[in-house]
Amino acid sequence: MNQIQNFTKGFLKENPVFVLLLGMCPTLGTTTSALNGLGMGLATAFVLTMSNMVISMVKNQIPDKVRIPSFIVIIASFVTIVELTMQAYAPALYEQLGLFIPLIVVNCIVLGRAEAFASKNTVWSSVIDGLGMGLGFAFALTILGGARELLGSGAIFGVHLIKGDLMLVFVLAPGAFIALGYIIALVNKINKTV
Amino acid sequence: MDYFVIIISAIFVSNIVLTQFLGICPFLGVSTRISTSIGMGGAVLFVMTLATMTTWIFQYYILIPYGLEFMQTIVFILVIAALVQMVEIMLKKVSPALYQALGIFLPLITTNCAVLGVAILTMQKHFNLLEGVVFSISTAIGYTMALVIFAGIREHLDIIEVPKGMRGIPIALVTAGILAMAFMGFTGMVK
């Protein structure tokens, strides 16, 4: 596989959220607006890229038996970096995302890519894979966040487009499930025709 | 804090799956049969309570006295991963019957964000040890309840005609949305 395919597969064909159905908790929990979705997505993309890089560098030094715990420690370190950085420079976003920032550690995508890709491939292609998958995740979260924000409050990225009362339920918990369900059905359709 | 308030709010008002969005992966993954949902719920109850107790002790006797609160994420996930391994080994020796019932769910629990989430929430809400235990038990009961209700609905979904594009996960998510709407009715029960 060439590097361009490796990079773009995360957006539609193997999109972590819409196709692989990984990392559903932050997907549903943080996408009350497009901006929150994007913030969460980029934080995850950073952790994914960095941990993929480090894991592919040290993969030959780690004994097979303690592989998973070692991966978790590496991932947790980057999550802590993101957590502290965000707390210092983007406190408003940190408040909004709350619990879901430390929970990047248990996001199945990060450990999944570490185990399925970074532990078998070279440093460079692991970085590309992490970047592609991470940005695909951010892309999915922004789409879902945008759809919910538009339907629920008539705005995208905080810019009001539609006036008046809308379907508030889309900003609340049930809307997350319903919107994601329809988007997944749509992406299945697109992937079948492309 | 009143224990009754903790129990009611953890089970109904802020149900961990349907309003907090934690533990969604197993919620969608294993909830196709009622019996597996009960097994998963039992395993979560067991691990969540133990994990909250252990992380509470780590937080108040190691992290805070030595000023290491920023290590919370790393320490908690390691403690939980080690705990799950230990529980698995011990169950295999002590109670093979229980291991048979819960065994396949245990490895899944390390990456179940509900367990780490509840441990972190317990620290954020400054619960004492007993309140933390009550909180995690009632959260797990709420989790099992959501899982069992959802599995019951999905067993029915199998036998009805669903439009082709919506089969599988999409219709399950829409169903979960409607279930979450029902749970919104509990909002305001506890201030």
Side-chain angles (χ1 to χ4, degrees):
Chain A
M1 205 189 324
N2 65 41
Q3 297 296 4
I4 295 167
Q5 268 178 332
N6 189 11
F7 179 72
T8 54
K9 68 172 189 275
F11 284 86
L12 266 182
K13 240 192 175 103
E14 286 182 40
N15 188 290
V17 177
F18 296 148
V19 181
L20 303 178
L21 304 171
L22 294 174
M24 297 303 247
C25 308
T27 305
L28 294 165
T30 62
T31 51
T32 46
S33 72
L35 193 65
N36 286 353
L38 184 66
M40 184 67 205
L42 291 181
T44 312
F46 172 77
V47 173
L48 191 52
T49 313
M50 297 308 281
S51 59
N52 253 8
M53 185 176 86
V54 172
I55 286 166
S56 61
M57 277 174 185
V58 298
K59 62 175 184 281
N60 295 329
Q61 270 75 48
I62 298 175
D64 212 38
K65 272 193 177 154
V66 293
R67 192 175 76 242
I68 301 286
S70 326
F71 292 172
I72 291 179
V73 175
I74 293 169
I75 295 166
S77 321
F78 285 111
V79 171
T80 308
I81 293 172
V82 169
E83 203 181 340
L84 295 176
T85 315
M86 209 179 246
Q87 212 169 357
Y89 295 104
L93 188 64
Y94 181 80
E95 270 312 292
Q96 285 278 318
L97 300 179
L99 188 58
F100 287 99
I101 293 292
L103 289 183
I104 296 175
V105 175
V106 283
N107 190 326
C108 342
I109 304 169
V110 183
L111 192 61
R113 292 323 286 176
E115 171 72 3
F117 198 94
S119 64
K120 297 186 188 86
N121 286 286
T122 58
V123 175
W124 180 235
S125 49
S126 300
V127 169
I128 299 289
D129 175 78
L131 207 59
M133 278 289 170
L135 291 178
F137 184 70
F139 168 73
L141 260 64
T142 316
I143 297 245
L144 182 61
R148 287 179 66 190
E149 201 183 353
L150 187 66
L151 290 169
S153 56
I156 282 189
F157 286 110
V159 183
H160 276 275
L161 300 174
I162 307 167
K163 293 266 182 309
D165 288 332
L166 285 132
M167 294 171 275
L168 187 65
V169 73
F170 275 98
V171 188
L172 302 171
F177 287 107
I178 295 171
L180 184 63
Y182 281 106
I183 291 178
I184 288 177
L186 196 70
V187 170
N188 281 345
K189 178 84 185 151
I190 293 172
N191 271 342
K192 239 175 234 158
T193 47
V194 170
Chain B
M1 203 193 220
D2 197 357
Y3 291 108
F4 183 69
V5 174
I6 297 180
I7 294 170
I8 294 296
S9 71
I11 297 181
F12 295 107
V13 182
S14 44
N15 184 284
I16 189 144
V17 184
L18 296 168
T19 65
Q20 311 242 33
F21 304 113
L22 296 177
I24 300 283
C25 300
F27 179 65
L28 292 173
V30 303
S31 66
T32 43
R33 289 277 163 269
I34 291 182
S35 53
T36 46
S37 306
I38 293 173
M40 184 71 189
V44 167
L45 177 74
F46 196 61
V47 173
M48 202 180 260
T49 314
L50 274 179
T52 308
M53 268 158 42
T54 326
T55 49
W56 193 91
I57 292 166
F58 268 83
Q59 172 83 359
Y60 286 97
Y61 288 97
I62 296 176
L63 293 185
I64 290 181
Y66 294 100
L68 294 170
E69 286 102 325
F70 65 92
M71 293 280 284
Q72 199 190 49
T73 313
I74 301 180
V75 171
F76 278 20
I77 187 70
L78 278 180
V79 167
I80 291 171
L83 191 78
V84 172
Q85 284 280 312
M86 237 163 64
V87 167
E88 205 179 339
I89 295 168
M90 267 159 60
L91 268 188
K92 218 184 223 169
K93 280 257 185 262
V94 178
S95 163
L98 198 60
Y99 180 76
Q100 279 285 315
L102 303 183
I104 48 165
F105 301 110
L106 285 173
L108 290 174
I109 287 180
T110 320
T111 50
N112 182 338
C113 45
V115 175
L116 180 62
V118 166
I120 295 175
L121 275 177
T122 307
M123 307 313 152
Q124 274 177 3
K125 296 185 179 197
H126 302 288
F127 282 152
N128 64 35
L129 187 55
L130 189 60
E131 281 169 344
V133 170
V134 171
F135 177 64
S136 52
I137 291 176
S138 26
T139 302
I141 292 173
Y143 185 79
T144 315
M145 193 180 66
L147 219 63
V148 170
I149 295 176
F150 193 54
I153 299 175
R154 279 183 93 176
E155 285 186 355
H156 285 277
L157 272 182
D158 284 346
I159 48 174
I160 50 170
E161 196 86 20
V162 177
K164 210 167 129 206
M166 295 296 288
R167 266 176 219 163
I169 292 293
I171 191 72
L173 280 168
V174 174
T175 313
I178 295 166
L179 195 58
M181 234 181 258
F183 267 79
M184 270 176 71
F186 294 114
T187 322
M189 251 172 75
V190 175
K191 285 240 162 69

